[in-house]
Amino acid sequence: MELVQFQELTDHLDVLRKLTGLYSEQYNTLLRNGWTLGATQLLRVLQTTIRIFHRPLVKLLPGISG
Protein backbone atom coordinates (compact mmCIF):
# COMPACT_ATOMS: atom_id res chain seq x y z
CA MET A 1 0.00 0.00 0.00
CA GLU A 2 1.23 3.47 -0.84
CA LEU A 3 0.08 6.83 0.53
CA VAL A 4 -0.64 9.31 -2.27
CA GLN A 5 -2.00 12.84 -2.47
CA PHE A 6 -5.27 12.58 -4.39
CA GLN A 7 -5.05 16.20 -5.58
CA GLU A 8 -1.59 15.60 -7.05
CA LEU A 9 -2.72 12.35 -8.64
CA THR A 10 -5.69 13.99 -10.35
CA ASP A 11 -4.20 17.44 -10.95
CA HIS A 12 -3.95 16.98 -14.71
CA LEU A 13 -7.71 16.32 -14.86
CA ASP A 14 -8.70 19.40 -12.82
CA VAL A 15 -10.40 21.59 -15.42
CA LEU A 16 -11.73 23.98 -12.78
CA ARG A 17 -8.19 24.82 -11.72
CA LYS A 18 -7.10 25.25 -15.32
CA LEU A 19 -10.00 27.62 -16.08
CA THR A 20 -10.25 29.59 -12.83
CA GLY A 21 -7.08 28.89 -10.88
CA LEU A 22 -9.20 27.46 -8.05
CA TYR A 23 -8.91 23.96 -6.66
CA SER A 24 -12.18 22.17 -5.92
CA GLU A 25 -11.41 22.40 -2.19
CA GLN A 26 -11.09 26.17 -2.49
CA TYR A 27 -14.69 26.26 -3.74
CA ASN A 28 -15.76 24.79 -0.39
CA THR A 29 -13.68 27.39 1.44
CA LEU A 30 -15.39 30.20 -0.50
CA LEU A 31 -18.79 28.88 0.57
CA ARG A 32 -17.69 28.43 4.18
CA ASN A 33 -16.67 32.11 4.28
CA GLY A 34 -20.00 33.25 2.85
CA TRP A 35 -18.62 34.30 -0.55
CA THR A 36 -21.51 32.90 -2.55
CA LEU A 37 -21.77 35.30 -5.51
CA GLY A 38 -21.61 33.05 -8.57
CA ALA A 39 -21.57 29.88 -6.46
CA THR A 40 -24.54 28.36 -8.30
CA GLN A 41 -22.85 28.74 -11.67
CA LEU A 42 -19.54 27.48 -10.32
CA LEU A 43 -21.32 24.46 -8.81
CA ARG A 44 -22.76 23.63 -12.23
CA VAL A 45 -19.25 23.78 -13.71
CA LEU A 46 -17.98 21.45 -10.96
CA GLN A 47 -20.83 18.98 -11.52
CA THR A 48 -20.29 18.97 -15.28
CA THR A 49 -16.56 18.48 -14.82
CA ILE A 50 -17.18 15.51 -12.54
CA ARG A 51 -19.50 13.94 -15.12
CA ILE A 52 -17.02 14.48 -17.95
CA PHE A 53 -13.99 13.17 -16.07
CA HIS A 54 -15.65 10.34 -14.15
CA ARG A 55 -14.36 7.62 -16.47
CA PRO A 56 -10.74 8.90 -16.59
CA LEU A 57 -10.72 9.12 -12.79
CA VAL A 58 -12.05 5.60 -12.40
CA LYS A 59 -9.34 4.35 -14.76
CA LEU A 60 -6.69 6.26 -12.84
CA LEU A 61 -7.58 4.99 -9.37
CA PRO A 62 -6.87 1.26 -9.80
CA GLY A 63 -3.34 2.25 -10.84
CA ILE A 64 -2.54 3.49 -7.34
CA SER A 65 -3.27 0.16 -5.66
CA GLY A 66 -0.31 -1.42 -7.36
Side-chain angles (χ1 to χ4, degrees):
M1 188 179 300
E2 178 185 354
L3 179 64
V4 295
Q5 291 291 331
F6 184 76
Q7 187 68 51
E8 290 177 13
L9 183 67
T10 60
D11 200 34
H12 68 283
L13 297 176
D14 195 346
V15 174
L16 178 68
R17 185 186 58 78
K18 290 177 185 175
L19 293 176
T20 66
L22 292 173
Y23 286 99
S24 300
E25 181 58 35
Q26 289 172 314
Y27 172 79
N28 294 332
T29 302
L30 292 174
L31 294 180
R32 223 178 353 261
N33 289 322
W35 303 332
T36 57
L37 182 64
T40 302
Q41 293 79 10
L42 191 52
L43 179 60
R44 299 291 180 238
V45 171
L46 284 170
Q47 290 170 336
T48 301
T49 302
I50 290 168
R51 285 185 192 101
I52 291 170
F53 288 98
H54 177 261
R55 189 173 306 275
L57 279 170
V58 170
K59 288 180 180 181
L60 181 65
L61 291 178
I64 65 171
S65 63

